[in-house]
Amino acid sequence: MMVGIAPRKWAPGKPFKGFRAGVMLGLGVALVFHQLSWWVLDINTLVLLPLLSGLLFAGRAWLGTPYR
């Protein structure tokens, strides 16, 4: 008999879809911030920001989502 909270079950995500969503979000953020004149559109914001956000989203998808 188990007393307390049931252990979590993890549902894995799809890292490629997470990477793709992160890249699209990074590109969108870079272009919107450039249009609002909050930063200059250069190699860092056009390539590195989407790449880093894609890796972050892919890592989160690889970890999955906890359920009870």
Side-chain angles (χ1 to χ4, degrees):
M1 185 165 106
M2 213 167 141
V3 177
I5 300 173
R8 290 188 197 191
K9 294 180 182 174
W10 286 83
K14 300 187 185 308
F16 182 73
K17 284 187 177 182
F19 180 78
R20 189 174 59 198
V23 167
M24 292 303 207
L25 182 72
L27 281 173
V29 167
L31 292 177
V32 166
F33 282 0
H34 173 68
Q35 290 294 319
L36 293 173
S37 298
W38 287 357
W39 64 40
V40 178
L41 194 63
D42 61 354
I43 194 71
N44 293 326
T45 58
L46 194 60
V47 175
L48 291 180
L49 179 70
L51 185 65
L52 291 177
S53 66
L55 289 175
L56 181 73
F57 277 46
R60 179 64 181 104
W62 180 73
L63 285 176
T65 304
Y67 292 103
R68 292 199 187 254

